[in-house]
């Protein structure tokens, strides 16, 4: 998408952290930005701040509320001719070890972090395709969606978001809709003070550090927001934020490749596999990198 000025963006969880950083970057590019979230006070504060930078609106919408999404989409269709950029960013942190996760907690984190992303896409993608203008969909995963780390419920949601977006990238090829998946490392946000799951939870943060420690050297949300804006403009699919992840990503891919059975591939079976597993997005990403 080459032109953002005067177009409309919806950022879920856009009243805090990475979502607010993204909303700032988009409003500064001249977009009309609608942020949604669940905490009235922080929606009001985000609205006041974003309105000083440009045109902004804040609405209360839980990403689990499918009817609410449809109502918002209808209104934005009528008032602004639809949404051009959808940023599915709302999410909760939840790193409890698997043996301690209750069924209600699993449903809670999956419902927000994964189904919430699908709800946004399922609501807006058909409308974007019908309008036929350049549009873009972003989803916030995490580096925890590319590298396994303790906290299986959170990992399942973020690996799920990466898979959802890789599949979507294939589906929308040749349309006016571009897609990006954001996989940040640790960013200084309110995620550790944010919404809590139902029931009892002991605090679990990576490596046993306190949430305060984690934020001391963490990346700032505005830096991530600027990367997201650039990815929309450049049609960049993977949006990674931390050079520090390179080595471990390499280890994971090496470990996967080491698990592939050795021996000569069967030509006819390779053909069958190619029919099922098609993802030209990988080629596109690599081609851009070498060009
Ligand atoms: N902060 C990090 O280190 C980090 C790293 C990788 C990925 N992420 C991801 O980034 C995204 C944004 O998180 P953040 O770190 O900015 O945290 P944050 O708590 O500052 O912001 C999250 C926002 O989502 C909103 N939200 C939560 N549940 C919602 C729901 N059901 N409906 C609508 N809004 C809801 C919250 O109210 C808040 O405004 C999340 O998806 C998170 O998993 C964060």
């Amino acid at each position: 998408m080459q032109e953002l000025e005067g177009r409309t963006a919806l950022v879920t969880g856009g009243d805090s952290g990475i979502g607010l950083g993204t909303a700032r970057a988009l409003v500064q590019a001249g977009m009309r930005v609608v942020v949604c979230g669940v905490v009235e006070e922080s929606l009001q504060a985000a609205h006041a701040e974003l309105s000083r930078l440009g045109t902004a609106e804040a609405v209360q919408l839980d990403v689990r509320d499918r009817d609410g999404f449809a109502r918002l989409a209808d209104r934005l269709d009528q008032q602004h001719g639809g949404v051009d950029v959808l940023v599915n960013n709302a999410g909760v942190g939840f790193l409890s070890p698997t043996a301690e996760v209750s069924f209600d907690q699993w449903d809670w984190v999956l419902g927000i972090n994964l189904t919430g992303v699908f709800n946004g896409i399922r609501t807006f993608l058909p409308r974007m395709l019908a309008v036929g203008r350049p549009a873009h969909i972003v989803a916030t995963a995490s580096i925890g969606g590319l590298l396994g780390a303790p906290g299986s419920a959170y990992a399942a949601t973020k690996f799920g978001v990466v898979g959802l977006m890789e599949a979507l990238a294939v589906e929308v090829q040749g349309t006016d809709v571009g897609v990006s998946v954001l996989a940040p490392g640790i960013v200084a946000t309110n995620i550790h003070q944010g919404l809590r799951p139902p029931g009892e939870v002991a605090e679990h943060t990576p490596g046993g550090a306190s949430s305060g420690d984690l934020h001391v050297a963490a990346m700032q949300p505005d830096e991530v927001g600027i990367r997201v804006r650039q990815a929309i403009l450049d049609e960049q699919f993977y949006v990674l934020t931390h050079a520090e992840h390179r080595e471990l990503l390499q280890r994971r891919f090496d470990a996967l490749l080491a698990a592939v059975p050795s021996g000569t591939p069967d030509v006819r079976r390779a053909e069958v596999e190619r029919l099922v597993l098609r993802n030209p997005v990988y080629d596109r990403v690599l081609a851009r990198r070498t060009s």
Side-chain angles (χ1 to χ4, degrees):
M1 229 184 125
Q2 286 168 1
E3 190 57 61
L4 299 180
E5 192 163 3
R7 315 292 291 280
T8 303
L10 172 64
V11 184
T12 70
D15 56 332
S16 174
I18 295 171
L20 182 56
T22 304
R24 280 189 198 108
L26 295 179
V27 90
Q28 280 165 340
M31 293 198 86
R32 175 188 302 108
V33 176
V34 181
V35 294
C36 79
V38 286
V39 183
E40 187 53 41
E41 221 175 44
S42 97
L43 282 167
Q44 280 176 16
H47 181 238
E49 187 202 322
L50 293 168
S51 297
R52 285 193 289 276
L53 301 173
T55 310
E57 194 188 321
V59 293
Q60 198 149 27
L61 173 73
D62 190 312
V63 291
R64 294 169 292 184
D65 178 0
R66 292 170 176 155
D67 293 340
F69 257 127
R71 282 193 299 274
L72 177 63
D74 285 345
R75 181 169 70 73
L76 294 176
D77 275 352
Q78 281 161 16
Q79 291 180 342
H80 308 304
V83 165
D84 304 293
V85 170
L86 169 67
V87 183
N88 298 283
N89 162 82
V92 286
F94 178 60
L95 299 177
S96 290
T98 310
E100 293 175 20
V101 176
S102 72
F103 293 118
D104 283 348
Q105 290 168 347
W106 175 272
D107 291 344
W108 178 78
V109 66
L110 268 282
I112 296 172
N113 287 11
L114 182 56
T115 309
V117 172
F118 174 72
N119 292 343
I121 294 172
R122 185 61 187 82
T123 306
F124 287 96
L125 175 62
R127 295 169 192 249
M128 288 171 165
L129 292 170
V131 170
R133 284 197 302 267
H136 203 95
I137 297 176
V138 181
T140 306
S142 166
I143 193 61
L146 293 169
L147 296 170
S152 65
Y154 187 78
T157 67
K158 296 305 182 177
F159 271 77
V161 170
V162 172
L164 192 169
M165 295 308 282
E166 289 199 1
L168 184 63
V170 185
E171 291 174 12
V172 298
Q173 275 224 116
T175 74
D176 289 313
V177 181
V179 291
S180 301
V181 62
L182 169 67
I186 293 175
V187 182
T189 70
N190 296 316
I191 197 158
H192 296 292
Q193 297 86 51
L195 305 174
R196 300 318 299 153
E200 289 292 306
V201 193
E203 197 196 358
H204 291 283
T205 46
S210 79
S211 52
D213 294 342
L214 285 176
H215 281 184
V216 172
M219 185 172 277
Q220 293 302 310
D222 282 348
E223 188 174 342
V224 182
I226 289 166
R227 278 175 197 268
V228 170
R229 182 180 66 197
Q230 202 55 44
I232 297 168
L233 288 167
D234 293 348
E235 300 275 339
Q236 187 189 327
F237 180 66
Y238 296 113
V239 189
L240 272 66
T241 55
H242 287 56
E244 294 78 9
H245 298 150
R246 180 184 303 277
E247 206 180 311
L248 201 51
L249 283 166
Q250 183 72 57
R251 299 289 293 165
R252 176 164 190 264
F253 298 136
D254 289 348
L256 283 170
L257 288 174
V260 176
S262 55
T264 317
D266 177 287
V267 177
R268 283 191 314 164
R269 213 165 62 190
E271 190 53 37
V272 173
E273 294 299 320
R274 253 198 300 278
L275 286 175
V276 187
L277 297 174
R278 282 172 298 133
N279 199 326
V281 173
Y282 305 140
D283 296 334
R284 213 175 66 211
V285 171
L286 289 170
R288 289 170 60 119
R289 203 176 146 218
T290 47
S291 67

